Amino acid sequence: MKNIAFIFGTRPEVIKLAPVILELKKYPEKYKVLIINTEQQKELSNQTLSYFGLKSDYNLDAMRDNQTLCGVQIRIMKALDEVFNKENIDAAIVQGDTMTVLCGALTSFYNKIPVLHVEAGLRSYNKFEPFPEEGIRQMVSRIADINFAPTEANKEALLKENIRRDTIHVVGNTVIDALSCLTKNVVEASRNFFISKGISDKNLVLITVHRRENHGTRLDNIIKAITYLAKKYSDFTFVIPVHPNPNVKSKIESAFSTYKNVKLLPPLEYPNLVYLMKHAHLILSDSGGIQEEAPAFGCPVVVLRYETERKEGIDAGVSVLAGADYNKIILESEKILSKDIKQTRLKVKNPYGDGLSACRIEKLIDKL
Ligand code: UDP
């Protein structure tokens, strides 16, 4: 019996680790699963965790308002140190590139406990885009003992950095497993939720924006571009699940509260968000996870970033980079909005995974 600790703190980490946790929990004779939530995003992580029917063993309540990156790091490290001193952990699993991932990997490393990194090898090679994530994932790769790379390109990136070949395993991205956890009925039940908000599944544009690089003047440009599109395409409904980050929330709310065809919603339960991706004519987003999920529905994405580590979506023709460039956002959006949805829906094999990643990860953990 091995004690496996899952360490996460944000919504995307929960979505991408839940399938792995559920897979390991199928084998209680092999694994004792310890779930540690740093609560780097308190509400978003807990909302999503309960959706998957999971409960954490530790909630570390690590966030404070207006905390600096150093402040968060110190708080998470201290809280994790206490857990590691109390528990007998055989291996720690972290996912992605957040501050929680860095702290989880470092705490394990300092305790000489193997670090298993899910979603290893994503790179933009610009340490400020995305910030601080690009730096964090490069640092974590130096100390990870096992690297679960979503794609061959991610594996190549790790090999170029002299990460040992025998530690890298291409398993696909677990985000596609999370999508497969949702039954058709669950997603379709979301229809009623949106009807109650006056949102039909026709002529929909889904917008999410939250990244640190887009705070400030970049967000102003993005808002201007959305305003232009909302005015011109008045028969479309622009749905924005507003991220709770105060740098984003206040600006979005004051820009759009009077627009009838711009619907501002609180962060959505995962199946509701999936429902929107399934029906949207177009997605405008700076999210990493959404870039990976959208190809499953063939939904075009205008990526509100200047760099992406998810180049597979671009190569597959599903996403296009527009950054926070007013003209480019409008140009790329209009290419899609001016056509019928039947013409713009793409039939592609999702380059990020096939929904079997968690099973592959379990088999490898068992073997290794
Ligand atoms: N998501 C969600 N509800 C929302 C917005 C996003 O469940 O209101 C999901 C989305 O489907 C994706 C993940 O959250 O799986 C992405 O999270 P986010 O954009 O916050 O972070 P990133 O992927 O950029 O790290």
Side-chain angles (χ1 to χ4, degrees):
M1 168 81 85
K2 294 284 177 202
N3 293 335
I4 312 283
F6 284 83
I7 305 168
F8 54 76
T10 66
R11 174 175 60 195
E13 290 164 73
V14 176
I15 291 171
K16 291 171 171 179
L17 281 182
V20 187
I21 298 174
L22 292 169
E23 186 65 26
L24 262 59
K25 275 180 172 280
K26 285 184 192 164
Y27 306 97
E29 70 290 0
K30 288 197 269 187
Y31 313 108
K32 182 165 173 279
V33 171
L34 188 72
I35 303 180
I36 306 170
N37 185 359
T38 66
E39 299 187 306
Q40 191 181 325
Q41 289 176 343
K42 196 179 175 84
E43 280 90 41
L44 296 186
S45 62
N46 284 312
Q47 176 194 40
T48 314
L49 197 62
S50 69
Y51 168 72
F52 284 99
L54 293 168
K55 216 173 155 302
S56 27
D57 299 289
Y58 287 94
N59 284 314
L60 303 185
D61 189 24
M63 270 321 264
R64 294 295 176 271
D65 286 344
N66 303 317
Q67 212 164 212
T68 61
L69 286 171
C70 285
V72 193
Q73 178 168 354
I74 290 164
R75 191 176 284 276
I76 298 180
M77 291 292 292
K78 196 165 173 291
L80 281 177
D81 195 34
E82 282 166 21
V83 178
F84 274 64
N85 284 336
K86 215 169 4 167
E87 298 283 348
N88 198 6
I89 297 169
D90 293 307
I93 302 190
V94 290
Q95 190 286 333
D97 48 23
T98 65
M99 180 58 82
T100 292
V101 178
L102 178 64
C103 296
L106 272 180
T107 312
S108 310
F109 171 62
Y110 292 155
N111 285 283
K112 297 195 176 154
I113 292 169
V115 178
L116 282 55
H117 188 202
V118 176
E119 201 181 86
L122 274 67
R123 296 289 184 266
S124 67
Y125 297 111
N126 177 344
K127 69 178 176 180
F128 295 110
E129 302 257 354
F131 176 79
E133 289 83 358
E134 176 68 14
I136 287 178
R137 54 197 175 209
Q138 292 197 22
M139 289 189 268
V140 170
S141 296
R142 302 315 317 168
I143 52 174
D145 295 275
I146 301 179
N147 297 282
F148 296 117
T151 67
E152 285 297 331
N154 303 143
K155 175 179 173 179
E156 287 309 313
L158 292 169
L159 288 174
K160 254 198 249 160
E161 293 169 19
N162 294 327
I163 304 296
R164 265 177 39 203
R165 187 179 285 274
D166 62 345
T167 68
I168 310 169
H169 306 274
V170 177
V171 294
N173 197 311
T174 54
V175 79
I176 312 304
D177 298 45
L179 279 182
S180 321
C181 288
L182 303 174
T183 62
K184 236 183 169 171
N185 290 347
V186 169
V187 180
E188 284 309 317
S190 302
R191 186 187 301 274
N192 292 333
F193 170 83
F194 287 109
I195 287 172
S196 75
K197 305 271 174 215
I199 299 167
S200 90
D201 57 10
K202 301 275 172 311
N203 286 357
L204 272 180
V205 179
L206 167 64
I207 301 168
T208 79
V209 52
H210 72 286
R211 300 211 70 86
R212 194 179 286 265
E213 314 84 82
N214 275 337
H215 297 172
T217 50
R218 284 192 186 180
L219 185 57
D220 300 333
N221 292 344
I222 292 170
I223 287 174
K224 271 190 223 146
I226 299 169
T227 307
Y228 173 91
L229 292 168
K231 280 187 188 156
K232 179 156 178 191
Y233 295 89
S234 54
D235 52 337
F236 276 78
T237 307
F238 294 72
V239 182
I240 314 182
V242 184
H243 199 277
N245 187 311
N247 294 305
V248 177
K249 197 169 185 268
S250 54
K251 275 195 182 176
I252 299 262
E253 284 177 349
S254 63
F256 296 115
S257 52
T258 56
Y259 281 76
K260 270 211 174 108
N261 65 330
V262 181
K263 302 279 185 192
L264 304 183
L265 301 177
L268 295 173
E269 296 259 347
Y270 184 53
N272 291 341
L273 199 282
V274 173
Y275 178 87
L276 288 182
M277 285 192 285
K278 192 172 165 201
H279 294 282
H281 196 114
L282 169 69
I283 299 174
L284 301 179
S285 180
D286 61 3
S287 162
I290 289 177
Q291 288 176 65
E292 293 155 349
E293 292 161 330
F297 306 103
C299 185
V301 185
V302 172
V303 181
L304 305 172
R305 295 191 190 185
Y306 290 97
E307 313 257 3
T308 185
E309 56 293 272
R310 276 110 177 156
K311 299 193 173 61
E312 294 85 349
I314 309 243
D315 296 342
V318 182
S319 22
V320 59
L321 289 182
D325 182 318
Y326 173 83
N327 292 319
K328 188 110 205 266
I329 295 170
I330 292 174
L331 179 80
E332 295 299 341
S333 300
E334 293 207 287
K335 279 186 197 165
I336 308 292
L337 294 176
S338 58
K339 291 189 193 131
D340 190 89
I341 192 166
K342 285 192 198 110
Q343 285 171 278
T344 57
R345 221 64 189 173
L346 298 151
K347 284 198 179 58
V348 291
K349 184 170 162 272
N350 193 322
Y352 297 106
D354 57 5
L356 300 172
S357 307
C359 180
R360 289 188 192 105
I361 290 173
E362 188 284 318
K363 286 205 169 75
L364 286 160
I365 294 175
D366 191 27
K367 193 168 114 195
L368 298 165

